[in-house]
Amino acid sequence: MKKRSNLFLLTLLSLTLTGCTINFVVGDSTSDKTSNSNSESTSVSTPTSDSDDSISINYDTDRFVRLYAINDFHGAVNENALNSEPGIVKLGAYLKEKKSEGNTLLINSGDMWQGSIESNYNRGNLLTDCMNNIEFDCFTLGNHEFDWGQKYIQLNRERSSTTGYQTPFLASNIYEFDIGTKTVGEYADLGDKYVIRDLDNGLRVGIIGVIGKDQITSITSQYVDDINFNDPTSVVKTLSDELRTEHSVDVVILDCHTDQSTITGTNYNDDDLVDRNQITSVSNVSKQRYVDAVFCAHSHWEEKAMINGVPFIQGGSYGKYISNVELYVDTNGNVTCETYKNLKSTTVTKGYYDEELAELVNTYKQVSDEASNEVLGTFNGQFMSSGSLPNLVCEAIAEYATKSGYDISYAMVNNARATVDSGTVTYGGLYRALPFDNEIFIIDALGSTLKTELEYDSNFMCRLDSERIDVNKTYRIAVIDYLATHRNSKRDYNYFPGMTIVGKLEKDGYDIYNYRDVTADYIREKGSFDYWNYLSTKDKFNTNKINSAI
């Protein structure tokens, strides 16, 4: 089987934080943002010591900056000890306590919202409110921030906490795009290009945020046909020179929603990577390195490396690790790094609690829990994310498409996000497995493109046509929009080139009748499901038999 990755794109502010006073500058912002942080400490319960993170330096006088970062949190609001997920309350309490010690910045490298009913149900409002309460110093947009369209990025960007603080969204390489002429336009203003922080110890820190350029292909195309992710390397170099020469920053941090592959020795996606050698070299303009530390994301790896004296680090996903980097600046302006590590979150956050964050979570969960706790039916056996569960989803789609009057030959989805265990199936459990709001399009496509797509092991199907695939025949297919309208980096349809959209599945009372809700209704109707009926060895789900009749 073929494999395909589906990793699923100047205003001056003054604020006073517990332990440090920070001046805040954002690059290329279109509106003034004021912030008045409460100088009194919030109600936080913390352990008496943190032996995993102790550093013997003078926090009042040393020229250092401490950085703590998370990436790919994916809506992991609730604590889940079994999966080593601390939840946002413990995680946030720990980060707030660290920031209160002074000269400390908090980094978020994207894909924060999408992944659970607790976060998805309010389109990211809960976790944005939590970010504002924690007072992250930046939030770089990831590909999954676009899963509900750009509207919700802008709405969340404008949210403020009771203190008036807004977490700066960063999107320095996202530009407008004309899909008709395939030309790049002006800056899209979905976030700022950078932020600047002035620490109590006199250091000035600039943070640039970028997303990998090819992650435009990891987003349902209808949400990004009017924007482009420009090459991040050239953007970073230009903005670094601007920060160094025009704003006299001492340290430049790169926060990027893209991975780096030097740890494993394999290239996950070379075209998507920031050029590590270029951005760690010395600029001919500023006479300093372009960046002094790089926080990575997207691949969900726990990784760290030192490249040309610059730390590159990524802390897995779902809050399982907190990345920690310590930078020191000597009197000649040279930046060095002695500490770059990933802290296991369930260890370092043990005993932490924050009343304000807990109240935020409980307020939102009162709404989402009613839907989450609904029992849909029962599964006799574990429905795997890459097998029986997507097969069940395909069957549900096929049945509803047929009931809706479409004479389809195949229903198709890609793999699920999580496995659903045997026993009672709740809507919340299904939501975690199918967190995306993909619509189901009805398309006409050539058998050759259908055959090609079914050869990828990330795609699954339910087969209604008993004949072998004829590459020259046109087939009617029910397929999620991500696959149906997928574009390549040249912005051409490439999964189903030449396809025709016939319609989409709809239901009264739903603005979007997505594949998760189609499946939920199917489970409600049928009640009980045996996993062995949905194994990929069954003829109607067996993509290895696409060249034969059933």
Side-chain angles (χ1 to χ4, degrees), residues 17-180:
L17 296 175
T18 306
C20 63
T21 300
I22 295 177
N23 290 322
F24 172 31
V25 181
V26 290
D28 285 62
S29 177
T30 58
S31 61
D32 291 342
K33 302 186 181 91
T34 59
S35 168
N36 295 299
S37 177
N38 192 336
S39 60
E40 295 181 357
S41 60
T42 186
S43 175
V44 180
S45 172
T46 64
T48 57
S49 65
D50 183 5
S51 58
D52 290 335
D53 195 33
S54 59
I55 300 172
S56 56
I57 59 178
N58 187 330
Y59 291 120
D60 296 325
T61 61
D62 285 354
R63 287 168 58 81
F64 76 96
V65 55
R66 290 192 309 170
L67 301 120
Y68 291 89
I70 63 171
N71 62 275
D72 298 281
F73 191 71
H74 284 295
V77 173
N78 298 326
E79 181 179 3
N80 187 332
L82 186 63
N83 292 336
S84 299
E85 298 169 13
I88 193 61
V89 175
K90 282 188 173 181
L91 183 71
Y94 176 84
L95 293 175
K96 289 170 77 170
E97 193 273 339
K98 290 302 173 186
K99 187 163 187 176
S100 72
E101 294 176 356
N103 302 313
T104 300
L105 302 177
L106 305 181
I107 310 294
N108 190 323
S109 302
D111 278 8
M112 182 70 177
W113 303 323
Q114 175 68 267
S116 71
I117 191 170
E118 290 81 12
S119 180
N120 289 29
Y121 216 62
N122 47 75
R123 292 295 190 261
N125 287 176
L126 165 57
L127 286 176
T128 298
D129 288 353
C130 289
M131 284 197 297
N132 289 340
N133 183 273
I134 296 165
E135 298 192 351
F136 275 90
D137 292 282
C138 68
F139 171 51
T140 293
L141 298 182
N143 55 297
H144 283 296
E145 267 69 64
F146 291 86
D147 283 344
W148 307 307
Q150 298 170 44
K151 169 186 174 182
Y152 290 100
I153 293 175
Q154 295 288 21
L155 288 174
N156 277 287
R157 185 185 179 194
E158 296 165 3
R159 293 184 71 80
S160 60
S161 65
T162 55
T163 64
Y165 181 85
Q166 286 182 315
T167 298
F169 285 25
L170 299 184
S172 68
N173 65 324
I174 303 180
Y175 280 72
E176 295 173 352
F177 188 75
D178 187 317
I179 193 68

Side-chain angles (χ1 to χ4, degrees), residues 424-528:
T424 298
V425 180
T426 65
Y427 186 66
L430 184 67
Y431 210 116
R432 185 176 175 93
L434 307 172
F436 309 115
D437 289 342
N438 292 116
E439 297 181 272
I440 301 101
F441 282 11
I442 308 299
I443 65 171
D444 287 343
L446 276 176
S448 57
T449 59
L450 172 62
K451 182 176 180 292
T452 297
E453 285 307 301
L454 290 178
E455 289 175 348
Y456 286 100
D457 62 2
S458 57
N459 291 339
F460 298 82
M461 62 85 179
C462 178
R463 181 177 185 177
L464 283 70
D465 194 319
S466 62
E467 302 298 323
R468 61 178 294 173
I469 290 179
D470 181 342
V471 295
N472 297 311
K473 180 181 175 181
T474 296
Y475 291 86
R476 184 152 291 181
I477 311 163
V479 57
I480 58 172
D481 54 357
Y482 174 77
L483 295 175
T485 62
H486 189 276
R487 296 185 187 273
N488 59 21
S489 58
K490 295 180 180 179
R491 314 307 287 275
D492 298 320
Y493 291 132
N494 65 323
Y495 287 4
F496 289 98
M499 61 85 186
T500 301
I501 298 175
V502 177
K504 64 181 179 181
L505 299 188
E506 297 176 320
K507 185 177 181 179
D508 290 344
Y510 290 83
D511 292 333
I512 295 175
Y513 193 41
N514 62 57
Y515 77 145
R516 177 184 58 253
D517 286 327
V518 171
T519 306
D521 280 345
Y522 191 63
I523 297 172
R524 290 184 185 106
E525 178 186 351
K526 303 295 184 182
S528 181

